Amino acid sequence: MNVPVWNPAVEFMEREALERLQLVQLRKTVEQALKTPFYRRRLGEAGLTRPEDITSLRDLRSIPYTTKDDLRAAYPHGLLAVDLEQAIRLHTSSGTTGTPTVIYHTRRDIDHWTELVARCITATGASARDVFQNMTNYGLFTGGLGLHYGAERVGMLVIPASSGNTSRQIQLMKNFQTTVVHATPSYLLHLHASLASEGVDLEQLALRKAFIGAEPHSEQTRRKIEELFGIAAYNSYGLSEMNGPGVAFECVHQTGLHLWEDAYLLEVVDPRTLRPCAEEETGEIVLTTLQRQATPLLRYRTRDLSCWMGGHCPCGRGHRRLARIKGRSDDMLIINGVNVFPSQIEDVLMKTPEVGTNYLIQIEKRGSLDRLTVKTEIYAKLFTGDARTLEDLRERLGEALRSAILVKPVVELHEPGSLPVSEGKAKRVVDLRPAF
Ligand code: ADP
Ligand code: ZN
């Protein structure tokens, strides 16, 4: 088979062998979890006191869920399953939705994480011949060191640029002829908008691929990045509780994210009833680590919403695919009683050619009603045109948004560069309504 692959033995493993491996690893994970005070209590309450109590993959259902609040309550040491001297690193989440959570790693954990990232990178066709510029933050955030280790293992020339300083990023890309970058989609859009003011055009760059992730983004945003730079952009999904990047990634075919099933057991459940979802039915992603020593996690409720995709990928890998992440269960906005996901708004905006690279969603209370304002940057040349063109665009956007989300927004058009930019995860929603 002529597809780029890092670890053929695991990536093309037969389903039966893969499930046998999952069961062995699930038992080991339960054994490891029972070493932590948190899980001894939690599993004990469910009558699970020995790893041998798990006799089939179906027994996973008898294990209680673990939530983000559990992780917060166990902070800082309650989930550590090894002696502190065996742990060689810790990472925390970025704390987008509250107090961060901590994950420890042994040397083997880091080594295995690195292997997963190397698989992801290779699956996109990137290789030791590439120059890789990592534009995500190096530090507690996992996107920096996670991708860095994987890229070094693949043998790429790595530029550990970290996040921010757009002017320096562009100079590095030009001087070292960077071929692959890793960044949040919002930052890449911002970087594109900054090329002109840096006096650099695409011809002077050698960019071919981008790995984009860490925040929800629509298919339209991916296409926009691909068209603006003339490159291929691959979706990368991960979360610090599951190491970070390397959980699921797109291959060269870009048809959904292969989830490494030898490392993670995935369930998709209805976030309200916790009933398992059918294939292709969207629900909350629940993940169990299968390889981790220092911080094993059982049935971790990620709050991310997506679904299993059916069918097989043309690349031939047996590891099933997740659809693009739709958002977080706690991302959903209720506007005058209507459920709205920010990704639905983004979809409409990015489909509209006149719309630029940045936008902001604002909700406030007007009397007893909610008022939704969508502020979007548009390309500078439109501002030189006549007022009628702008008015037409505003109306067109308002109408397209109304039919997509069933709420009529106020649309504001802004000049490029006038809305706030974030160097890491974009903050697209400003909810000014009182909390009760
Ligand atoms: P935090 O939960 O504080 O943001 P992380 O840095 O661990 O901490 O971020 C992980 C989260 O980022 C995921 O749970 C998910 O919500 C989001 N995320 C990561 N990758 C993607 C992606 N490719 N598409 C959509 N959302 C993503
Ligand atoms: Zn594939």
Side-chain angles (χ1 to χ4, degrees):
M1 217 165 306
N2 197 18
V3 293
V5 49
W6 179 256
N7 185 340
V10 176
E11 295 179 50
F12 295 116
M13 197 180 263
E14 293 293 332
R15 191 83 223 155
E16 227 176 276
L18 188 56
E19 289 183 2
R20 268 201 309 273
L21 175 67
Q22 286 181 322
L23 178 58
V24 171
Q25 290 304 123
L26 176 60
R27 255 194 229 124
K28 278 195 190 156
T29 303
V30 168
E31 183 178 0
Q32 199 62 11
L34 284 167
K35 295 179 184 163
T36 69
F38 168 77
Y39 277 121
R40 251 197 320 278
R41 197 180 56 247
R42 179 62 59 90
L43 297 183
E45 282 161 10
L48 244 168
T49 52
R50 302 170 316 150
E52 305 83 72
D53 293 342
I54 304 289
T55 58
S56 81
L57 284 177
R58 262 192 310 273
D59 291 339
L60 181 66
R61 300 253 179 94
S62 64
I63 299 176
Y65 290 100
T66 306
T67 64
K68 209 167 180 107
D69 286 340
D70 292 329
L71 262 58
R72 286 178 181 145
Y75 187 90
H77 291 120
L79 277 157
L80 182 62
V82 296
D83 290 337
L84 206 59
E85 72 181 57
Q86 278 181 273
I88 63 163
R89 199 197 295 168
L90 66 79
H91 278 284
T92 69
S93 71
S94 11
T96 308
T97 56
T99 332
T101 54
V102 59
I103 300 295
Y104 297 88
H105 300 275
T106 62
R107 190 172 304 281
R108 219 198 81 197
D109 289 337
I110 296 287
D111 192 57
H112 192 260
W113 177 16
T114 303
E115 144 82 19
L116 296 179
V117 177
R119 282 188 212 167
C120 295
I121 292 174
T122 308
T124 69
S127 71
R129 287 185 297 279
D130 283 297
V131 178
F132 175 63
Q133 190 167 329
N134 193 3
M135 299 183 177
T136 51
N137 184 261
Y138 277 64
L140 288 169
F141 177 65
T142 53
L145 288 171
L147 251 296
H148 185 103
Y149 272 52
E152 276 192 355
R153 183 160 298 179
V154 167
M156 302 167 103
L157 169 61
V158 184
I159 309 176
S162 197
S163 58
N165 200 339
T166 308
S167 157
R168 191 184 61 179
Q169 298 282 8
I170 294 172
Q171 289 311 317
L172 288 168
M173 287 171 84
K174 190 175 110 192
N175 297 342
F176 297 105
Q177 293 291 284
T178 300
T179 54
V180 181
V181 293
H182 174 225
T184 57
S186 55
Y187 187 68
L188 269 192
L189 288 170
H190 167 67
L191 187 133
H192 185 271
S194 311
L195 283 173
S197 57
E198 290 299 319
V200 172
D201 61 48
L202 285 176
E203 257 74 277
Q204 296 169 277
L205 303 180
L207 198 62
R208 293 191 304 121
K209 289 185 202 310
F211 305 150
I212 53 174
E215 63 187 17
H217 57 283
S218 64
E219 181 64 28
Q220 297 298 339
T221 296
R222 180 239 291 273
R223 293 292 163 221
K224 182 150 193 158
I225 290 171
E226 294 191 321
E227 279 159 26
L228 289 174
F229 285 98
I231 59 170
Y234 300 88
N235 194 353
S236 153
Y237 171 68
L239 57 161
S240 55
E241 293 83 355
M242 294 290 136
N243 295 342
V247 176
F249 223 85
E250 283 181 330
C251 71
V252 283
H253 296 285
Q254 297 179 308
T255 52
L257 303 124
H258 288 283
L259 180 114
W260 301 122
E261 293 190 77
D262 59 315
Y264 305 99
L265 264 184
L266 182 136
E267 300 166 85
V268 182
V269 302
D270 182 313
R272 279 172 305 118
T273 62
L274 301 179
R275 174 189 59 79
C277 290
E279 195 174 83
E280 298 187 32
E281 183 190 347
T282 297
E284 179 175 349
I285 299 176
V286 174
L287 291 165
T288 297
T289 63
L290 290 177
Q291 299 279 354
R292 236 168 34 192
Q293 293 179 317
T295 317
L297 287 184
L298 299 169
R299 304 191 87 195
Y300 178 66
R301 291 188 59 182
T302 65
R303 306 188 193 178
D304 291 329
L305 300 172
S306 179
C307 62
W308 274 127
M309 291 174 67
H312 299 281
C313 183
C315 75
R317 284 181 182 80
H319 299 248
R320 288 177 292 168
R321 290 163 302 162
L322 265 181
R324 174 179 297 288
I325 311 296
K326 201 171 153 196
R328 304 195 196 216
S329 54
D330 42 9
D331 253 4
M332 192 179 76
L333 301 164
I334 302 180
I335 303 173
N336 293 326
V338 180
N339 298 348
V340 176
F341 279 101
S343 59
Q344 293 174 289
I345 297 178
E346 175 176 311
D347 226 29
V348 171
L349 295 178
M350 292 297 151
K351 244 191 317 230
T352 312
E354 296 91 335
V355 165
T357 51
N358 200 1
Y359 69 92
L360 194 71
I361 298 166
Q362 188 170 308
I363 310 128
E364 64 221 302
K365 210 70 187 164
R366 279 295 158 101
S368 60
L369 286 181
D370 298 325
R371 184 159 92 163
L372 168 68
T373 307
V374 176
K375 305 178 180 197
T376 178
E377 290 182 7
I378 58 170
Y379 288 111
K381 54 182 185 289
L382 285 175
F383 278 101
T384 57
D386 66 318
R388 188 71 227 143
T389 320
L390 288 178
E391 198 41 41
D392 282 350
L393 175 60
R394 236 167 48 78
E395 270 172 31
R396 203 152 29 92
L397 277 173
E399 198 38 49
L401 285 166
R402 197 195 54 78
S403 74
I405 61 175
L406 309 178
V407 174
K408 186 150 176 66
V410 177
V411 176
E412 285 181 12
L413 305 179
H414 292 257
E415 282 184 56
S418 56
L419 294 176
V421 195
S422 146
E423 287 172 355
K425 293 173 190 260
K427 291 183 187 56
R428 305 285 203 193
V429 179
V430 181
D431 196 339
L432 299 171
R433 292 175 294 187
F436 46 88

